[in-house]
């Protein structure tokens, strides 16, 4: 079964600096992977998805993620953090055909 | 596009009462998912439907929980009787059922059982 590890439970950056949220996956084959974001007291929003079509995936709000098979990683990045990026971020694999497997996520804090 | 619609947004009820949560999926989607989110357990999948048929209900906590999808545009999650430990945020999500299909989430229903 596919699983992921989000290496940081909490990341804190200053506004205007780069964001890096780390996700490693464990699978014997190329997985389908998603990044979701959850702002405080809100539902979950899809940021981007990887389905093996392209290794560099661009998402909404300036986020992107690169699938690196050699490193079994799918890290989420953004060149310049904005205050509105403060939220919980989830790296999510597919289990079977449709089940998303959510872990504990990474909480991103933006300092002014 | 209206997105996934959930009602009510907030529900406060007393222990022992019946609670019904409602969800309208995105038009054209044929898969629907119910999740529960708590601080202790994170986000858990309770049950999901394909073409109105329950496919996997292994996440339903116990017999007090039941879910139905009478048609493609409506689903309910019922808790009877409710208990304080059922307090959580309940999310509904929908997708087009193909392998790797992304899910779109509703705003959630915050349930408090006193």
């Amino acid at each position: 079964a596919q699983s992921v590890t989000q290496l940081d439970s909490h990341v804190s950056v200053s506004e205007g600096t780069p964001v890096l949220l780390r996700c490693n996956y464990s699978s014997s084959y190329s997985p389908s992977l998603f990044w979701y974001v959850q702002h405080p007291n809100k539902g979950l929003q899809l940021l981007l998805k990887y389905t093996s079509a392209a290794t560099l995936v661009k998402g909404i709000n300036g986020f992107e993620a690169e699938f690196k098979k050699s490193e079994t990683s799918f890290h989420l990045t953004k060149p310049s953090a904005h205050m509105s990026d403060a939220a919980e971020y989830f790296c999510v694999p597919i289990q079977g055909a449709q089940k998303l497997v959510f872990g504990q996520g990474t909480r991103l804090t933006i300092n002014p | 596009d209206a997105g996934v619609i959930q009602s009510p947004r907030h529900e406060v009820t007393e222990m022992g009462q019946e609670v019904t949560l409602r969800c309208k999926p995105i038009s054209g989607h044929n898969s629907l998912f119910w999740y529960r989110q708590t601080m202790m357990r994170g986000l858990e999948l309770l049950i999901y439907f394909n073409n109105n048929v329950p496919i996997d209900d292994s996440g339903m906590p116990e017999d007090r929980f039941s879910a139905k999808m009478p048609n493609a545009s409506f689903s309910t999650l019922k808790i009877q009787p409710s208990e304080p430990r059922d307090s959580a945020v309940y999310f509904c999500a929908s997708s087009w059922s193909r392998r790797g299909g992304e899910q779109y989430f509703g705003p959630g229903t915050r349930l408090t059982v006193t």
Side-chain angles (χ1 to χ4, degrees):
Chain A
Q2 297 181 38
S3 66
V4 298
T5 301
Q6 290 187 244
L7 298 170
D8 307 291
S9 59
H10 183 210
V11 171
S12 181
V13 303
S14 297
E15 189 176 20
T17 64
V19 175
L20 169 64
L21 305 182
R22 299 182 294 167
C23 174
N24 283 3
Y25 70 91
S26 174
S27 174
S28 59
Y29 52 93
S30 293
S32 291
L33 288 168
F34 302 85
W35 275 99
Y36 278 85
V37 60
Q38 185 177 27
H39 289 90
N41 299 312
K42 300 288 187 183
L44 288 96
Q45 183 180 21
L46 178 68
L47 275 178
L48 51 82
K49 67 174 181 177
Y50 170 76
T51 53
S52 76
T55 56
L56 182 61
V57 183
K58 293 189 182 298
I60 61 171
N61 301 334
F63 284 94
E64 63 181 34
E66 185 172 7
F67 180 81
K68 292 187 177 180
K69 190 172 183 178
S70 60
E71 301 176 6
T72 61
S73 68
F74 190 54
H75 300 336
L76 183 71
T77 60
K78 182 173 181 177
S80 177
H82 191 273
M83 294 300 291
S84 61
D85 294 328
E88 193 86 18
Y89 290 80
F90 297 92
C91 179
V92 186
I94 282 273
Q95 184 179 83
Q98 289 188 274
K99 293 175 69 170
L100 299 182
V101 182
F102 285 86
Q104 291 304 311
T106 297
R107 182 161 58 94
L108 177 63
T109 301
I110 311 297
N111 302 311
Chain B
D1 196 352
V4 176
I5 299 172
Q6 292 186 247
S7 64
R9 294 293 309 276
H10 301 274
E11 177 79 41
V12 180
T13 191
E14 292 183 349
M15 183 174 63
Q17 297 298 306
E18 177 179 294
V19 175
T20 299
L21 310 182
R22 297 172 176 80
C23 176
K24 177 178 169 58
I26 292 172
S27 178
H29 283 183
N30 64 343
S31 294
L32 184 139
F33 305 79
W34 282 102
Y35 292 86
R36 177 174 67 177
Q37 186 176 40
T38 61
M39 289 291 293
M40 291 297 294
R41 299 174 68 90
L43 198 64
E44 305 171 278
L45 176 66
L46 300 177
I47 185 172
Y48 79 93
F49 297 82
N50 275 355
N51 298 316
N52 313 334
V53 176
I55 301 300
D56 185 343
D57 65 355
S58 59
M60 295 286 263
E62 48 197 274
D63 292 345
R64 297 185 299 107
F65 285 69
S66 62
K68 294 183 179 179
M69 192 163 186
N71 57 63
S73 58
F74 184 65
S75 177
T76 58
L77 178 67
K78 186 176 295 185
I79 308 173
Q80 167 63 17
S82 58
E83 296 182 2
R85 60 192 168 120
D86 302 331
S87 297
V89 181
Y90 291 81
F91 289 103
C92 176
S94 70
S95 73
W96 174 249
S97 67
R98 54 183 171 82
R99 192 173 189 89
E102 59 267 31
Q103 296 177 22
Y104 294 87
F105 284 75
T109 295
R110 183 174 296 275
L111 173 65
T112 303
V113 183
T114 61

